[in-house]
Amino acid sequence: METMDTPRARIIEAAKNMFFTQGYSTVLMSDLAKRLGMSKKTLYQYFSGKEELLNVIIRQYGQEIQREVERMLVDDNLPFPEKASRIFSFVGTKLHYINPEFVLDIKRHAPSAWQQLQKHKTEAAFLRFNTLLDEGYRKGYIREHVNRTMAVLLYASALETILNPDFTEQVPQKLMQELPKAPGEVFEGLVKIIFNGILDGTK
């Protein structure tokens, strides 16, 4: 974990804000140096280039989400519906800060970072969400006839919608106009549809 009082941490935080809001390819190392009030030479003392910096940002961001979700997963004091709601709200909030064009940008221009993003998506969908469903099933909150594998696949498709803009490009424009613009809002909407369909309303 980086502490914010180090030059390296300041570089990471500034780059994350610029990449997430402006896109990856449009931000130059000289832009980042100017924002930080330091020289490009100083930047290259900490990072070999922009893609290495991006990889660090994605890894840290993914780990931050993973730590918090796993902390909530093992919290036995949280009733299952509240736990599920908190987890989805947290993930949605974290996704809200990412510009939709950012994901497509790194897919085209930073393949190693794109692969890392896919890894985080896989872990979120097929490991942590499955763990959450297991708890819901054990505690009787999920209907017995629900195929949990299918539920996990639906959740994975929700993440795919957010983390792969190529997917949404296949959707007719008329339908896309009714879709929320922010990734976090799309994610939360999809999760509500999925979860409201598997939660037992008698609980």
Side-chain angles (χ1 to χ4, degrees), residues 6-192:
T6 67
R8 178 182 166 87
R10 286 180 56 232
I11 293 169
I12 292 171
E13 186 64 21
K16 180 177 72 174
N17 291 335
M18 294 179 74
F19 290 163
F20 282 5
T21 58
Q22 300 176 35
Y24 169 73
S25 60
T26 58
V27 175
L28 305 177
M29 291 294 270
S30 57
D31 299 327
L32 180 58
K34 183 177 180 180
R35 177 165 178 168
L36 288 163
M38 61 177 61
S39 67
K40 282 174 59 178
K41 183 178 179 180
T42 302
L43 288 182
Y44 286 113
Q45 288 177 355
Y46 294 95
F47 299 97
S48 62
K50 194 168 68 166
E51 188 163 358
E52 183 197 357
L53 178 54
L54 177 65
N55 274 300
V56 170
I57 290 169
I58 290 177
R59 183 174 67 250
Q60 288 191 1
Y61 205 67
Q63 289 172 346
E64 180 183 339
I65 294 174
Q66 176 183 336
R67 280 194 301 270
E68 182 59 19
V69 169
E70 289 182 348
R71 184 193 67 77
M72 287 187 277
L73 279 173
V74 299
D75 188 348
D76 293 330
N77 295 318
L78 281 178
F80 177 76
E82 183 180 352
K83 179 182 292 189
S85 177
R86 287 192 185 185
I87 288 174
F88 296 138
S89 177
F90 171 74
V91 174
T93 299
K94 299 302 285 186
L95 289 174
H96 181 76
Y97 293 108
I98 302 177
N99 186 310
E101 297 303 319
F102 168 77
V103 179
L104 185 58
D105 193 7
I106 66 171
K107 182 179 181 182
R108 291 172 174 168
H109 300 107
S112 63
W114 169 254
Q115 289 300 320
Q116 188 174 177
L117 192 62
Q118 296 307 295
K119 179 176 180 290
H120 286 304
K121 180 191 71 175
T122 300
E123 291 175 350
F126 299 111
L127 298 179
R128 288 185 283 280
F129 183 64
N130 192 47
T131 299
L132 181 65
L133 288 184
D134 280 342
E135 178 181 336
Y137 187 80
R138 289 195 314 272
K139 294 181 176 179
Y141 283 97
I142 296 177
R143 303 181 188 124
E144 291 187 9
H145 72 272
V146 168
N147 185 312
R148 280 178 290 164
T149 300
M150 289 297 297
V152 171
L153 291 176
L154 284 170
Y155 181 69
S157 73
L159 289 177
E160 184 70 12
T161 301
I162 302 302
L163 298 179
N164 190 349
D166 288 343
F167 181 86
T168 54
E169 287 180 359
Q170 302 173 42
V171 180
Q173 187 60 34
K174 184 177 180 180
L175 291 178
M176 285 299 298
Q177 291 175 354
E178 300 176 7
L179 196 68
K181 299 298 182 184
E185 292 177 13
V186 177
F187 174 78
E188 288 178 3
L190 287 167
V191 164
K192 284 180 182 177

